[in-house]
Amino acid sequence: MTKVACGKNLEELTLSGKPDENAVSCPNANRGDAMKFFHAWRLDSAPFSRKFPSSVDHAGEAPRNHNPIWLVTGGSLWLATAANFPLWRELSHLALTSDPAGLAFSLAMMLIIAATLMAMLSLFAWRWTLKPVLTLMLFASAFGAYFMWSYRVVIDATMMINVLQTDVREAADLFSPRLVVTVLVLAVLPSWTIWRLPIGYGPWSRRLLQNFLMAIAAVILLAVSVVLSYQPLASTMRNHKQVRYLMNPLNSMYALGYLAAGPLQRDRSVLEPIGLDARSPEVASNDLPPLIILVVGETARSGNFSINGYPRPTTPKLGHEEVASFRNVSACGTSTAAALPCMFSNLGRTQFDARSKNFEGLLDVIQRAGMAVLWLDNQSGCKAACDRVGYANTSKLRNPQLCPEGACYDAIMLEDLDARIAALPAKARARGVVLVLHAMGSHGPAYYLRSPQAFKQFGPECSSNDLQNCSQAELLNAYDNSIIYTDHFLDSTIHWLRTQQATYAPAMVYVGDHGESLGENNLYLHGLPYAIAPDVQTRVPWFTWLSPRFASQKTLTPQCLHKKQEEKITHDNYFHSVLGLLSIKTVVYQPQLDVYASCTGTR
């Protein structure tokens, strides 16, 4: 029978992990003592007992197991201070830390963030959840801090959608050694420390009480900090809205919570049809069916096209074409995820953001009117704008000239275009064809990858995605070179359309989805909340090219369009303008929003 030490010798056994030769045999020892004997022996016999702190140290004394409150407090303070250096930079830039009162406000901001995190972590201060949740917070904060610091972006629900929809190619463009160092310092090393730290959670009843008291203390600290700093806090949040989106990681957590609550705000199971009465006109015997290419530009700044008055010759080819340009166009979003589905909707920006359910879009109406529709994508998807029409992705095609190093230039979408059209239903083609080309355009931050060597007319250019390591001139050179390639791509599209004039009446409309910041006011990329976004992120190009046959059939003259180049229009006009060009009749068409209507006559 196994003998178990009892009384005082039991303590000696559990501290040493070895049976005491002088221990008294207790044949009637209870089962609890036996379990204590086994547990102590098992802990010190485990192969990893020398790597991690166990219940016994080398001096024979048990090391102290820390209360979870210390881990919650330390983690919250680390996140509120080290992971928020973009916030402290912004407060310094706004001259809010230049005097003792400003420093006190910064301290209050830190306490507000820390107290909020403590209150949230108190809900997870349990054996199986505390360390994993805190680790996730550390990594989310590290990535958020890097992008907010490097590109001066902010994190809101729209930016979170961009993150969740980013594909491998786009993610690779964002990778840099500085990102690795930031994540290592702010997340990897603290996480390693956390997982080595011995934590004593105690009985669940005591843990529940301590978690409750910790949450109450955190809420009290939060309330006191807000009250004591209310005047400067309210003023800062009202006058500098970007500050609220820099509070790391609360910004990411709020954005994820907002997106998670989306199904409660919008019934995603319902897709409301629109334009059920849509009809396209019969093609007259002496006319040809329309063939319209809708090019969706990516990250295109209206002000960087020389056709819009930019002093650099970035659009030499379009400048020799009969292209009408609208120069005062506002996007309905500052990112592809926000702008693309909005511009293909009939709702307009305000109603689109506030919609309680999803609706069909422009391409559904065109297809219902009887025309053939195809979406070609050289990007990461159409963001639901093309879900019910023909679709093909060209971004991963194999073409040594147009797809070097696994990424394709936009001209790849013009390859085999005749065959793609021929594969569309003949009956629909007879009424008209609409092709959407979703371009890679000037997608950043690796602008230098968006133009082949033959189109790099401005140099030296920034050849890194770490934009802060480039001068303003180098960054602008790389971006403008991408516009030169866009000029070439659009001109090539027009030339291809001319080859179709025996069968169709062709036309092209090019509209950008959103703009881009290139270091102005130390802002980079795009995606700022619309209310605080600079014009360069919301102003986009809108070009129209009409073949003589198309202009004749529509009695629409480019000269009339040129006179409208300074009119203020938005993406809200896009849906109705395309329907107007196609002469599609439906109750959802609003002629007052059709930018071409006033230039269209009757024959």
Side-chain angles (χ1 to χ4, degrees):
M1 178 178 66
T2 302
K3 296 182 179 181
V4 181
C6 58
K8 178 180 179 181
N9 290 323
L10 176 61
E11 298 297 327
E12 296 174 0
L13 179 148
T14 56
L15 288 173
S16 66
K18 300 177 183 179
D20 187 348
E21 294 179 356
N22 298 320
V24 179
S25 176
C26 301
N28 297 322
N30 61 40
R31 187 171 180 270
D33 287 342
M35 290 303 294
K36 291 180 182 178
F37 172 88
F38 172 75
H39 181 66
W41 176 85
R42 179 175 61 85
L43 280 176
D44 280 352
S45 300
F48 52 80
S49 63
R50 299 299 178 191
K51 299 179 182 179
F52 294 93
S54 68
S55 59
V56 180
D57 65 11
H58 295 294
E61 296 181 358
R64 180 183 179 184
N65 282 339
H66 299 279
N67 192 295
I69 189 173
W70 298 112
L71 184 56
V72 169
T73 303
S76 299
L77 289 174
W78 174 261
L79 291 170
T81 53
N84 270 281
F85 54 88
L87 173 62
W88 312 133
R89 178 183 65 180
E90 184 66 16
L91 294 181
S92 176
H93 175 72
L94 296 172
L96 296 176
T97 60
S98 57
D99 53 28
L103 293 176
F105 170 65
S106 298
L107 176 61
M109 287 282 289
M110 184 272 290
L111 291 176
I112 288 171
I113 297 172
T116 304
L117 292 172
M118 288 177 63
M120 299 178 69
L121 285 171
S122 66
L123 302 175
F124 299 96
W126 300 89
R127 184 182 305 276
W128 303 111
T129 55
L130 179 56
K131 290 184 177 182
V133 169
L134 188 52
T135 300
L136 287 174
M137 283 188 177
L138 286 168
F139 276 89
S141 299
F143 281 101
Y146 169 78
F147 288 109
M148 288 189 292
W149 178 268
S150 298
Y151 303 115
R152 284 190 178 258
V153 300
V154 298
I155 298 177
D156 64 347
T158 300
M159 184 61 72
M160 190 58 64
I161 292 175
N162 295 334
V163 171
L164 297 175
Q165 293 183 351
T166 296
D167 61 16
V168 175
R169 179 175 60 169
E170 293 172 334
D173 288 345
L174 296 169
F175 181 83
S176 72
R178 182 181 294 182
L179 171 61
V180 175
V181 173
T182 302
V183 174
L184 179 66
V185 173
L186 292 182
V188 175
L189 294 179
S191 297
W192 179 79
T193 303
I194 286 171
W195 285 94
R196 285 184 58 88
L197 194 67
I199 302 296
Y201 293 90
W204 73 268
S205 56
R206 186 174 66 188
R207 178 80 272 120
L208 180 63
L209 176 61
Q210 290 185 357
N211 288 356
F212 176 74
L213 295 176
M214 180 164 51
I216 294 298
V219 170
I220 293 174
L221 176 61
L222 174 61
V224 170
S225 300
V226 170
V227 169
L228 293 179
S229 63
Y230 182 77
Q231 184 174 353
L233 179 65
S235 176
T236 300
M237 294 303 174
R238 181 176 61 254
N239 298 322
H240 308 287
K241 293 182 175 63
Q242 71 274 20
V243 171
R244 69 184 68 177
Y245 301 109
L246 291 172
M247 299 172 70
N248 195 23
L250 301 180
N251 48 6
S252 298
M253 297 166 68
Y254 174 82
L256 286 173
Y258 180 86
L259 295 178
L264 302 177
Q265 304 169 7
R266 182 179 307 137
D267 188 353
R268 300 180 187 274
S269 65
V270 175
L271 180 66
E272 190 74 18
I274 63 171
L276 295 177
D277 61 333
R279 296 292 182 271
S280 59
E282 293 287 343
V283 179
S285 59
N286 59 336
D287 285 345
L288 295 175
L291 167 60
I292 294 185
I293 290 185
L294 305 175
V295 183
V296 179
E298 168 64 33
T299 318
R301 289 164 50 120
S302 179
N304 285 64
F305 288 77
S306 57
I307 197 173
N308 286 339
Y310 188 53
R312 277 182 154 184
T314 54
T315 54
K317 295 181 177 180
L318 289 180
H320 290 89
E321 297 286 356
E322 191 63 51
V323 172
S325 173
F326 300 134
R327 300 182 176 183
N328 193 9
V329 183
S330 297
C332 62
T334 61
S335 68
T336 302
L340 188 59
C342 176
M343 65 187 288
F344 278 81
S345 167
N346 69 312
L347 298 177
R349 183 173 71 88
T350 303
Q351 293 185 43
F352 184 81
D353 291 341
R355 70 194 187 280
S356 60
K357 54 187 174 182
N358 289 324
F359 293 82
E360 291 181 340
L362 174 63
L363 302 185
D364 297 290
V365 176
I366 296 173
Q367 185 168 257
R368 183 169 291 121
M371 294 184 174
V373 182
L374 175 64
W375 182 294
L376 294 180
D377 208 301
N378 198 39
Q379 265 261 19
S380 58
C382 68
K383 317 305 180 189
C386 66
D387 282 359
R388 291 160 297 279
V389 301
Y391 175 87
N393 191 292
T394 64
S395 63
K396 294 181 174 59
L397 295 180
R398 296 181 180 275
N399 186 306
Q401 286 73 40
L402 296 176
C403 303
E405 301 178 3
C408 294
Y409 297 118
D410 287 330
I412 191 66
M413 291 186 285
L414 301 178
E415 296 291 297
D416 302 319
L417 207 49
D418 296 82
R420 293 185 187 277
I421 291 178
L424 297 173
K427 183 178 179 181
R429 281 188 282 121
R431 300 185 75 95
V433 178
V434 175
L435 301 177
V436 183
L437 307 184
H438 188 195
M440 193 64 173
S442 303
H443 193 285
Y447 306 114
Y448 67 98
L449 295 178
R450 308 300 166 232
S451 59
Q453 189 62 41
F455 296 88
K456 296 185 182 299
Q457 303 202 8
F458 304 114
E461 67 173 4
C462 177
S463 57
S464 169
N465 57 12
D466 197 351
L467 302 184
Q468 290 188 325
N469 285 338
C470 298
S471 69
Q472 184 75 22
E474 291 171 335
L475 181 58
L476 191 61
N477 288 339
Y479 183 85
D480 283 349
N481 287 336
S482 73
I483 299 298
I484 291 177
Y485 183 73
T486 294
D487 172 69
H488 164 74
F489 167 60
L490 294 178
D491 186 65
S492 299
T493 302
I494 292 172
H495 278 277
W496 179 85
L497 284 169
R498 287 196 175 106
T499 67
Q500 307 298 309
Q501 292 184 104
T503 310
Y504 297 100
M508 182 196 76
V509 177
Y510 168 81
V511 181
D513 59 354
H514 57 81
E516 188 86 334
S517 288
L518 296 176
E520 301 89 357
N521 299 314
N522 288 317
L523 295 175
Y524 297 89
L525 303 182
H526 54 267
L528 281 176
Y530 202 91
I532 62 174
D535 284 348
V536 290
Q537 291 194 25
T538 59
R539 294 284 292 276
V540 294
W542 185 323
F543 305 148
T544 306
W545 175 85
L546 307 174
S547 67
R549 187 62 178 260
F550 187 97
S552 175
Q553 291 183 188
K554 284 291 296 182
T555 63
L556 197 162
T557 62
Q559 292 76 15
C560 177
L561 296 180
H562 286 308
K563 296 177 181 179
K564 298 165 64 71
Q565 66 180 10
E566 299 299 336
E567 283 190 14
K568 182 174 178 57
I569 62 176
T570 72
H571 275 169
D572 292 1
N573 299 96
Y574 187 74
F575 177 95
H576 307 280
S577 300
V578 173
L579 290 183
L581 280 179
L582 295 169
S583 300
I584 292 177
K585 304 300 182 183
T586 171
V587 294
V588 295
Y589 167 69
Q590 299 180 45
Q592 69 273 19
L593 293 177
D594 179 356
V595 297
Y596 304 109
S598 61
C599 290
T600 302
T602 57
R603 289 186 294 174

